[in-house]
Amino acid sequence: MTQIYSKIKEIFIESAILALNIERSIFENINFNVEKPHEEKNGEISSNISLLIQKTVKENPIEIAQKISTELLKRDEFIKVEVAKPGFINLWLSTSMWQNHLDETLKLNELIDCNIGKGLKVNVEYVSANPTGPLHVGHCRGAVFGDVISNLLKKTGHVVVKEYYINDAGSQINNLTDSVYIRYQELLGKKFSEYPENFYPGNYLIPVAEHFKIEYADKLLKMSDQDRFSLIKPFTIQYMMGLIKEDLSSLAINQDIFVSEQELVSKGKIEKAIKKLDDAGLIYEGILDPPKGKKPDDWEARPQMLFRSTEYGDDVDRPLQKSNKEWTYFANDIAYHFDKFERGSNHLIDILGADHGGYVKRMTAAVAALTDKKATFSAKLCQMVKLSRNGQQMKMSKRSGEFITLREVVDEVGSDSIRFMMLYRKNEAPLEFDFDKVTEQSKDNPVFYVQYAHARISSVIGKLSENNFDLDLSNYDQCDFSLIANKYEIDLIKKIADWNKVIESAASLQEPHRIAYFLYELSSVFHSLWSQGKIDSNLKFIMPDNKNLTYARIGLLDLTQRTIKSGLDLLGVSAPHEMN
RNA sequence: GCGCCCGUAGCUCAGGGGAUAGAGCAACUGCCUUCUAAGCAGUGGGUCCGAGGUUCGAUUCCUCGCGGGCGCACCA
């Protein structure tokens, strides 16, 4: 038994059945709580079971609670049971319950035991930045979020594909190619007094132009536009993706698959997906109403090929073709999501910036329509990151090319800090990233607090040899955990016992910030216990005259450290053995 | 106008049908001859935006407001 809460929940059910002479089946639709109350006077474990079953049982909840309590008291797991005000049942566990939890958990190879996925195949698409330059800070939240969601889903029984969609078929790629050619011409001595409106001004295109100068000297000038274009474009895309992959790997992100939009187009995937919608009667020629907000200046009513997304909950039907009969971005994206499904995924997750929120309904509709609802789609929107330094808001200007790159931030504050801070907020909440706080005043950064706890434990274990203790830390069979009885120690075990509940809620709600917060809290309980050793030397971990007690306490530390490590691993943050 | 997200301590934010709503920062007070003080213990600080509704119970769920962010054919 590793999950103390689920064990106790089962005991509640058994006791209720005995006490009230009811059928087990009534609990199929009643999900009562078994949880740690806020306040200690309300017990170590509390349940609202009688409040929730009062309607079914048709008795006063206090009376129900008293009957269940009588049964509970017969069990030796509990030393005290109380019924409180409206009908709560509050329990106090025998210390041995917690000691056993420590003992049993320590013997597990894998601390996380949660299989909510049951083998469900999930595709997580994240970052998918246009390959027009290096990643900037704005990309890093979605990058980290997507990465950790993937880790979390994998750990909880899902089969996960981590994916990046390369938007290499749109007009911005043409602009990029033109920009490289301009840089190339500059290298050959031509002066531009003014750049075209769609020019990509970043210096990162100059090395690309240099490549062409070295390889081809001035031959590109004499080529036809067509030939030159088809020479520059693929190389540039490949080069940009190289930059992007380096950026990602600096943040410890490595996706499994990179899918090219251009390739989907050339393979005819778009026509295939559209045909499927057409066969289902979901496509028609029509004229959309003008947008209700600000009407575009160049608005004109025109017939277009439309997808009947309103059949699947969207607000309006969506265009699939532009007026020049080219496919819209949405049409390509429909084909791309269908491709994910055909490759075997049954749940598709897109990690998007909040500015793409308007996209969610139409894609949900498209996935439902294309897969006969055999696959589901969900978008996780990350709100914007506000950067500040010295209390000043840092503005980003993409047009001037003066944006802060992801790499600059990694170089300054490090991957661990960025990853942790990006996860220390709920994804729907805006995030304030203060350079001063994550660098100079490092104590304000929770990642150090958690890593410090991990390192401190290594430090204690390292001191064992100085005391000539020969303890087997790979096997605690000979360890007597009944010696772990101090309140601060039991508090630590209780906190550790929450770990699987945290994993389960983080995974099912797809809210990885819960892990970061848990790690902070666990670290806090540990630091508190540590400090007790400074106040009362009988509470130090290493007791030179008491090997058995030391062994048991080291066992507790070992489990604490492994729990922290398993959490940091999920977050992709390192677990150092010493701080420096 | 419509859609999505947000509104909780001075600041940044967790939480969430449950009992007296939490953390960090900032302010104030203690604790290093000791396993790392990047730490610990303590004090002060709240109309959980507002109004209704559902409920034994709402800060949490629903509706309607108010305030803020984002988005709203033929861009990606």
Side-chain angles (χ1 to χ4, degrees):
Chain A
M1 201 293 296
T2 60
Q3 299 210 33
I4 207 159
Y5 290 99
S6 51
K7 181 175 182 180
I8 292 172
K9 187 162 186 173
E10 177 58 27
I11 293 175
F12 264 104
I13 293 174
E14 289 168 8
S15 302
I17 290 170
L18 286 173
L20 304 165
N21 195 23
I22 53 178
E23 296 295 322
R24 187 178 198 88
S25 58
I26 76 163
F27 291 103
E28 282 167 13
N29 297 315
I30 293 179
N31 194 20
F32 62 92
N33 289 336
V34 173
E35 59 188 11
K36 183 161 52 186
H38 299 300
E39 294 185 55
E40 290 184 7
K41 70 162 186 161
N42 292 327
E44 293 177 308
I45 302 277
S46 172
S47 179
N48 60 355
I49 181 169
S50 57
L51 291 161
L52 295 192
I53 63 173
Q54 60 170 306
K55 280 184 201 124
T56 315
V57 177
K58 293 180 180 132
E59 264 188 78
N60 180 308
I62 296 280
E63 284 167 23
I64 297 171
Q66 278 161 348
K67 287 180 182 173
I68 297 174
S69 298
T70 308
E71 286 300 320
L72 290 171
L73 264 177
K74 294 176 185 167
R75 321 242 345 182
D76 56 13
E77 286 93 343
F78 312 118
I79 53 173
K80 184 172 153 192
V81 181
E82 278 184 3
V83 173
K85 289 179 233 166
F88 292 108
I89 298 174
N90 299 330
L91 293 176
W92 282 258
L93 276 58
S94 69
T95 307
S96 64
M97 283 283 279
W98 299 113
Q99 291 160 344
N100 289 342
H101 184 260
L102 168 60
D103 191 8
E104 290 168 14
T105 311
L106 202 44
K107 286 168 183 162
L108 299 171
N109 289 320
E110 175 56 60
L111 296 181
I112 296 170
D113 173 25
C114 173
N115 183 18
I116 55 174
K118 302 188 176 84
L120 180 69
K121 291 180 180 170
V122 182
N123 181 298
V124 184
E125 183 208 331
Y126 55 109
V127 189
S128 296
N130 291 337
T132 55
L135 298 179
H136 56 76
V137 271
H139 292 119
C140 76
R141 188 172 190 184
V144 173
F145 185 81
D147 204 48
V148 175
I149 282 286
S150 302
N151 291 344
L152 191 51
L153 292 175
K154 258 185 215 176
K155 208 61 168 179
T156 53
H158 304 76
V159 178
V160 178
V161 176
K162 302 187 286 182
E163 191 155 317
Y164 186 116
Y165 182 45
I166 308 171
N167 294 126
D168 53 3
S171 58
Q172 83 284 1
I173 291 297
N174 301 344
N175 298 334
L176 182 75
T177 306
D178 293 344
S179 301
V180 170
Y181 184 51
I182 286 170
R183 288 300 194 195
Y184 168 81
Q185 289 170 284
E186 283 183 329
L187 290 175
L188 292 173
K190 182 168 178 182
K191 300 280 183 234
F192 287 82
S193 57
E194 199 176 304
Y195 293 117
E197 194 186 340
N198 293 321
F199 178 68
Y200 283 94
N203 290 335
Y204 55 86
L205 289 180
I206 296 173
V208 184
E210 274 167 352
H211 160 83
F212 287 107
K213 186 186 168 192
I214 291 164
E215 285 287 308
Y216 299 95
D218 64 349
K219 287 180 192 159
L220 266 61
L221 298 173
K222 297 158 197 158
M223 283 183 180
S224 71
D225 289 353
Q226 177 91 50
D227 288 349
R228 185 171 56 235
F229 184 82
S230 53
L231 186 64
I232 296 178
K233 179 174 143 174
F235 179 84
T236 305
I237 291 171
Q238 198 183 7
Y239 189 93
M240 291 301 120
M241 285 310 298
L243 292 181
I244 288 171
K245 286 179 187 177
E246 278 178 35
D247 289 347
L248 289 170
S249 108
S250 78
L251 255 186
I253 290 168
N254 298 290
Q255 277 130 316
D256 304 314
I257 299 184
F258 290 75
V259 174
S260 156
E261 180 182 10
Q262 184 59 58
E263 207 174 307
L264 293 175
V265 171
S266 58
K267 281 181 178 169
K269 297 270 189 181
I270 288 76
E271 287 77 6
K272 187 180 167 189
I274 301 303
K275 180 171 187 309
K276 191 156 168 67
L277 291 178
D278 201 13
D279 291 347
L282 293 168
I283 289 187
Y284 68 103
E285 287 284 322
I287 298 174
L288 289 173
D289 293 333
K292 288 289 195 295
K294 47 193 172 193
K295 192 172 175 178
D297 299 335
D298 58 346
W299 162 262
E300 56 179 85
R302 67 170 75 89
Q304 284 177 301
M305 181 195 284
L306 301 175
F307 164 47
R308 213 180 286 280
S309 55
T310 47
E311 294 259 319
Y312 291 85
D314 199 1
D315 305 318
V316 290
D317 293 337
R318 302 291 174 176
L320 297 171
Q321 275 185 342
K322 305 177 194 175
S323 50
N324 63 8
K325 296 294 176 187
E326 281 178 20
W327 296 117
T328 60
Y329 177 84
F330 178 51
N332 286 6
D333 218 15
I334 284 176
Y336 171 48
H337 283 75
F338 186 50
D339 184 55
K340 293 183 195 175
F341 169 69
E342 289 199 308
R343 281 187 275 123
S345 296
N346 294 309
H347 184 52
L348 312 179
I349 300 176
D350 284 9
I351 312 298
L352 302 170
D355 52 342
H356 288 71
Y359 205 65
V360 176
K361 279 188 183 178
R362 73 191 70 170
M363 188 50 74
T364 305
V367 171
L370 278 167
T371 67
D372 296 325
K373 302 191 177 174
K374 289 190 185 106
T376 50
F377 170 81
S378 77
K380 304 297 286 184
L381 302 178
C382 290
Q383 286 292 331
M384 300 305 164
V385 176
K386 281 185 276 183
L387 289 175
S388 62
R389 190 193 289 279
N390 302 322
Q392 294 289 310
Q393 184 85 211
M394 295 165 81
K395 290 280 181 194
M396 303 236 307
S397 166
K398 214 172 180 178
R399 283 172 75 185
S400 65
E402 290 169 12
F403 49 79
I404 302 160
T405 63
L406 181 144
R407 187 58 73 86
E408 287 172 289
V409 184
V410 174
D411 289 345
E412 182 171 343
V413 311
S415 168
D416 284 348
S417 290
I418 295 176
R419 290 188 68 112
F420 203 94
M421 288 311 289
M422 290 297 148
L423 295 163
Y424 208 56
R425 291 285 170 264
K426 205 163 39 176
N427 60 297
E428 297 101 341
L431 188 150
E432 199 151 297
F433 192 86
D434 187 332
F435 275 87
D436 303 317
K437 283 193 175 166
V438 294
T439 53
E440 293 158 43
Q441 298 170 282
S442 61
K443 64 174 180 176
D444 290 352
N445 186 342
V447 69
F448 286 95
Y449 186 82
V450 175
Q451 289 179 318
Y452 184 38
H454 187 272
R456 268 185 153 176
I457 291 172
S458 291
S459 173
V460 176
I461 291 173
K463 294 275 181 202
L464 282 175
S465 57
E466 291 177 17
N467 291 277
N468 296 316
F469 281 136
D470 180 25
L471 306 177
D472 184 356
L473 303 191
S474 64
N475 178 343
Y476 287 91
D477 288 348
Q478 301 303 312
C479 188
D480 179 7
F481 289 108
S482 70
L483 299 170
I484 298 291
N486 178 269
K487 177 187 181 299
Y488 291 91
E489 294 169 330
I490 300 296
D491 281 349
L492 187 52
I493 299 173
K494 288 178 185 172
K495 196 69 200 175
I496 291 168
D498 288 343
W499 185 216
N500 269 292
K501 288 180 79 167
V502 171
I503 289 291
E504 190 179 326
S505 63
S508 58
L509 299 170
Q510 289 166 16
E511 293 185 345
H513 71 281
R514 289 168 184 269
I515 295 170
Y517 276 90
F518 172 79
L519 291 178
Y520 189 89
E521 291 163 11
L522 174 59
S523 300
S524 174
V525 178
F526 162 74
H527 285 308
S528 180
L529 171 59
W530 174 290
S531 299
Q532 288 308 308
K534 289 200 174 290
I535 295 163
D536 177 356
S537 60
N538 290 320
L539 291 176
K540 296 183 75 162
F541 301 116
I542 297 176
M543 304 296 288
D545 301 326
N546 192 337
K547 179 176 173 178
N548 288 338
L549 181 56
T550 301
Y551 196 14
R553 286 180 175 170
I554 293 298
L556 174 57
L557 288 193
D558 194 353
L559 182 61
T560 305
Q561 191 181 43
R562 286 178 53 197
T563 306
I564 292 173
K565 173 83 161 62
S566 69
L568 288 175
D569 284 350
L570 281 173
L571 303 187
V573 173
S574 69
H577 292 290
E578 56 187 60
M579 306 298 282
N580 43 36

